[in-house]
Amino acid sequence: MTADSPRPAATTTSRATDRPGDASPFALGLLLRQAHWRAAAVMSEALRPLGIELRHFAVLIVLVDRGPTVQRDLAAATGTDKAGIMRVVDDLERKGLAVRKSVPGDRRVRAVEITPQGVELFDAAHAGAGPLAESLVTDLAPGERELLTDLLTRFAYPVDGEA
């Protein structure tokens, strides 16, 4: 480059990193991803003694909340693809935690239903997860846990329904 040629303008765009305090447009997403990984690791530890993974528990949550649910709706509710939800439901059936049942009026569609054994495991998971869940928020000041929950709820479920 000669002295006469213009120099490229210095870029002021922040580059995404996963460091705290990152000012890039991706910072919030990266921070949420890190928080998810930390929470998922802790909750996976709570589920390990029960012989299930977080992906199994996510389906059980939907079944407890909604009752019998068709697989395509389970996939949508858990953010899983069709093949993935089939594997999870297969695992739950093998473990006796859920069953597939025919849907009246449409022989091609099957709904997944939690079994009594699935409900017992679901309840046991909640009991065992309490202390581990508390460990996630030990560094928060009084009232911050509630504030964090409120902010994340509003972020995940905007009032106007936009994603």
Side-chain angles (χ1 to χ4, degrees), residues 12-34:
T12 58
T13 303
S14 178
R15 291 194 169 79
T17 69
D18 63 354
R19 292 187 301 264
D22 181 353
S24 83
F26 295 97
L28 180 59
L30 291 169
L31 184 59
L32 288 169
R33 183 181 67 174
Q34 286 297 125

CSV table of all heavy atoms in Angstrom, one decimal, residues 12-34:
chain,number,residue,atom,x,y,z
A,12,THR,N,-15.6,-1.3,13.1
A,12,THR,CA,-16.0,-1.1,14.4
A,12,THR,C,-17.0,-2.2,14.8
A,12,THR,O,-17.5,-2.1,15.9
A,12,THR,CB,-16.7,0.3,14.5
A,12,THR,OG1,-17.8,0.3,13.6
A,12,THR,CG2,-15.8,1.4,14.3
A,13,THR,N,-17.2,-3.1,13.9
A,13,THR,CA,-18.1,-4.2,14.3
A,13,THR,C,-17.5,-5.1,15.3
A,13,THR,O,-16.3,-5.6,15.1
A,13,THR,CB,-18.5,-5.0,13.0
A,13,THR,OG1,-19.1,-4.1,12.1
A,13,THR,CG2,-19.5,-6.1,13.3
A,14,SER,N,-18.2,-5.4,16.3
A,14,SER,CA,-17.7,-6.3,17.3
A,14,SER,C,-17.8,-7.8,16.8
A,14,SER,O,-18.8,-8.1,16.2
A,14,SER,CB,-18.5,-6.2,18.6
A,14,SER,OG,-18.1,-7.1,19.6
A,15,ARG,N,-16.8,-8.6,17.1
A,15,ARG,CA,-16.8,-9.9,16.7
A,15,ARG,C,-17.3,-10.8,17.8
A,15,ARG,O,-16.9,-10.6,19.0
A,15,ARG,CB,-15.4,-10.4,16.2
A,15,ARG,CG,-15.1,-9.7,14.9
A,15,ARG,CD,-13.9,-10.3,14.2
A,15,ARG,NE,-13.7,-9.8,12.9
A,15,ARG,CZ,-13.2,-8.7,12.6
A,15,ARG,NH1,-12.7,-7.9,13.5
A,15,ARG,NH2,-13.0,-8.3,11.3
A,16,ALA,N,-18.1,-11.8,17.5
A,16,ALA,CA,-18.7,-12.6,18.6
A,16,ALA,C,-17.6,-13.5,19.2
A,16,ALA,O,-16.8,-14.1,18.6
A,16,ALA,CB,-19.8,-13.5,18.0
A,17,THR,N,-17.7,-13.5,20.5
A,17,THR,CA,-16.9,-14.4,21.3
A,17,THR,C,-17.8,-15.0,22.3
A,17,THR,O,-19.0,-14.7,22.4
A,17,THR,CB,-15.8,-13.7,22.1
A,17,THR,OG1,-16.3,-12.9,23.1
A,17,THR,CG2,-14.9,-12.9,21.1
A,18,ASP,N,-17.3,-15.9,23.2
A,18,ASP,CA,-18.2,-16.4,24.2
A,18,ASP,C,-17.7,-15.9,25.6
A,18,ASP,O,-18.0,-16.4,26.6
A,18,ASP,CB,-18.2,-18.0,24.2
A,18,ASP,CG,-16.9,-18.6,24.5
A,18,ASP,OD1,-15.9,-17.9,24.5
A,18,ASP,OD2,-16.8,-19.8,24.6
A,19,ARG,N,-17.0,-14.8,25.6
A,19,ARG,CA,-16.5,-14.1,26.8
A,19,ARG,C,-17.6,-13.3,27.4
A,19,ARG,O,-18.4,-12.6,26.7
A,19,ARG,CB,-15.3,-13.3,26.5
A,19,ARG,CG,-14.1,-14.1,26.1
A,19,ARG,CD,-12.9,-13.2,26.0
A,19,ARG,NE,-13.0,-12.1,25.0
A,19,ARG,CZ,-12.6,-12.2,23.8
A,19,ARG,NH1,-12.0,-13.2,23.3
A,19,ARG,NH2,-12.8,-11.2,23.0
A,20,PRO,N,-17.7,-13.3,28.7
A,20,PRO,CA,-18.6,-12.3,29.4
A,20,PRO,C,-18.4,-10.9,29.0
A,20,PRO,O,-17.2,-10.5,28.8
A,20,PRO,CB,-18.4,-12.6,30.9
A,20,PRO,CG,-17.8,-13.9,31.0
A,20,PRO,CD,-17.0,-14.1,29.7
A,21,GLY,N,-19.4,-10.1,28.8
A,21,GLY,CA,-19.3,-8.7,28.4
A,21,GLY,C,-19.1,-8.5,26.9
A,21,GLY,O,-19.0,-7.4,26.5
A,22,ASP,N,-19.2,-9.6,26.1
A,22,ASP,CA,-19.2,-9.5,24.6
A,22,ASP,C,-20.3,-8.5,24.2
A,22,ASP,O,-21.4,-8.7,24.6
A,22,ASP,CB,-19.3,-10.9,24.0
A,22,ASP,CG,-19.3,-10.9,22.5
A,22,ASP,OD1,-19.2,-9.8,21.9
A,22,ASP,OD2,-19.3,-12.0,22.0
A,23,ALA,N,-19.9,-7.6,23.3
A,23,ALA,CA,-20.9,-6.6,22.9
A,23,ALA,C,-21.4,-6.9,21.4
A,23,ALA,O,-22.1,-6.1,20.9
A,23,ALA,CB,-20.3,-5.2,22.9
A,24,SER,N,-21.1,-8.0,20.9
A,24,SER,CA,-21.5,-8.4,19.5
A,24,SER,C,-23.0,-8.6,19.5
A,24,SER,O,-23.7,-8.9,20.5
A,24,SER,CB,-20.8,-9.6,19.0
A,24,SER,OG,-21.4,-10.8,19.5
A,25,PRO,N,-23.6,-8.6,18.3
A,25,PRO,CA,-25.0,-8.9,18.2
A,25,PRO,C,-25.4,-10.3,18.5
A,25,PRO,O,-26.5,-10.6,18.7
A,25,PRO,CB,-25.3,-8.5,16.7
A,25,PRO,CG,-24.0,-8.4,16.0
A,25,PRO,CD,-23.0,-8.2,17.0
A,26,PHE,N,-24.4,-11.2,18.6
A,26,PHE,CA,-24.6,-12.6,18.9
A,26,PHE,C,-24.4,-12.9,20.4
A,26,PHE,O,-24.6,-14.0,20.9
A,26,PHE,CB,-23.7,-13.5,18.1
A,26,PHE,CG,-23.9,-13.4,16.7
A,26,PHE,CD1,-23.1,-12.6,15.9
A,26,PHE,CD2,-24.9,-14.2,16.1
A,26,PHE,CE1,-23.3,-12.5,14.5
A,26,PHE,CE2,-25.1,-14.1,14.7
A,26,PHE,CZ,-24.3,-13.3,13.9
A,27,ALA,N,-24.1,-11.9,21.2
A,27,ALA,CA,-23.7,-12.1,22.6
A,27,ALA,C,-24.8,-12.7,23.4
A,27,ALA,O,-24.6,-13.6,24.2
A,27,ALA,CB,-23.3,-10.8,23.2
A,28,LEU,N,-26.1,-12.2,23.2
A,28,LEU,CA,-27.2,-12.7,24.0
A,28,LEU,C,-27.4,-14.2,23.7
A,28,LEU,O,-27.6,-15.0,24.6
A,28,LEU,CB,-28.4,-11.9,23.8
A,28,LEU,CG,-29.7,-12.4,24.6
A,28,LEU,CD1,-29.4,-12.4,26.1
A,28,LEU,CD2,-30.9,-11.6,24.2
A,29,GLY,N,-27.4,-14.5,22.4
A,29,GLY,CA,-27.6,-15.9,22.0
A,29,GLY,C,-26.5,-16.8,22.6
A,29,GLY,O,-26.8,-17.9,23.0
A,30,LEU,N,-25.2,-16.4,22.5
A,30,LEU,CA,-24.1,-17.2,23.0
A,30,LEU,C,-24.3,-17.3,24.5
A,30,LEU,O,-24.0,-18.4,25.1
A,30,LEU,CB,-22.8,-16.5,22.7
A,30,LEU,CG,-22.4,-16.5,21.2
A,30,LEU,CD1,-21.2,-15.6,20.9
A,30,LEU,CD2,-22.2,-18.0,20.7
A,31,LEU,N,-24.6,-16.3,25.2
A,31,LEU,CA,-24.8,-16.3,26.7
A,31,LEU,C,-25.9,-17.3,27.0
A,31,LEU,O,-25.8,-18.1,28.0
A,31,LEU,CB,-25.1,-15.0,27.2
A,31,LEU,CG,-25.2,-14.8,28.7
A,31,LEU,CD1,-23.9,-15.3,29.4
A,31,LEU,CD2,-25.5,-13.4,29.1
A,32,LEU,N,-27.1,-17.2,26.3
A,32,LEU,CA,-28.2,-18.2,26.6
A,32,LEU,C,-27.7,-19.6,26.3
A,32,LEU,O,-28.1,-20.5,27.0
A,32,LEU,CB,-29.4,-17.8,25.7
A,32,LEU,CG,-30.1,-16.5,26.2
A,32,LEU,CD1,-31.1,-16.1,25.1
A,32,LEU,CD2,-30.8,-16.7,27.5
A,33,ARG,N,-26.9,-19.8,25.3
A,33,ARG,CA,-26.4,-21.2,25.0
A,33,ARG,C,-25.6,-21.7,26.1
A,33,ARG,O,-25.7,-22.8,26.6
A,33,ARG,CB,-25.6,-21.2,23.7
A,33,ARG,CG,-25.1,-22.5,23.3
A,33,ARG,CD,-24.4,-22.5,22.0
A,33,ARG,NE,-23.1,-21.8,22.2
A,33,ARG,CZ,-22.1,-21.7,21.4
A,33,ARG,NH1,-22.3,-22.2,20.2
A,33,ARG,NH2,-21.0,-21.0,21.7
A,34,GLN,N,-24.7,-20.8,26.6
A,34,GLN,CA,-23.8,-21.3,27.8
A,34,GLN,C,-24.7,-21.6,29.0
A,34,GLN,O,-24.4,-22.6,29.7
A,34,GLN,CB,-22.8,-20.1,28.1
A,34,GLN,CG,-21.7,-20.0,27.1
A,34,GLN,CD,-20.8,-21.2,27.1
A,34,GLN,OE1,-20.6,-21.8,26.0
A,34,GLN,NE2,-20.3,-21.7,28.2
